[in-house]
Amino acid sequence: MLIKENRTKRIEQREKKVRLTITLFILLASCFFPLVSRAQCAMCRAALESNENTVQAEAVNDGIVFLMVIPYILVALVGFAVYKLKYSKK
């Protein structure tokens, strides 16, 4: 029985090492080979590169901020609701 337990412990340790190695490899690969992405479509870039229309550039910036803030507000509201449900029972 002791031999079987030792064998399973060695197998579990080996599996942990393999998982750790794979995780580290994926992490390093993602750091050294970043994905290249474009943040703007061609139409937006062309419209914003002209120096004449600053109102349009401000509108695009406001839209980006608006789109960025909404998910944070929703997550905060869900977190607050969970907090209230958890601590209101005490």
Side-chain angles (χ1 to χ4, degrees), residues 35-53:
L35 297 175
V36 178
S37 63
R38 302 284 180 196
Q40 295 175 338
C41 67
M43 297 287 288
C44 296
R45 183 182 305 245
L48 295 177
E49 282 180 351
S50 65
N51 294 331
E52 302 167 3
N53 198 355

Side-chain angles (χ1 to χ4, degrees), residues 77-87:
L77 289 174
V78 169
F80 181 72
V82 169
Y83 174 80
K84 286 298 259 185
L85 286 174
K86 184 174 182 178
Y87 290 109

Side-chain angles (χ1 to χ4, degrees), residues 17-41:
K17 287 180 183 178
V18 169
R19 275 188 256 140
L20 181 64
T21 305
I22 291 171
T23 305
L24 287 175
F25 177 75
I26 291 172
L27 180 67
L28 288 174
S30 66
C31 289
F32 289 119
F33 302 110
L35 297 175
V36 178
S37 63
R38 302 284 180 196
Q40 295 175 338
C41 67

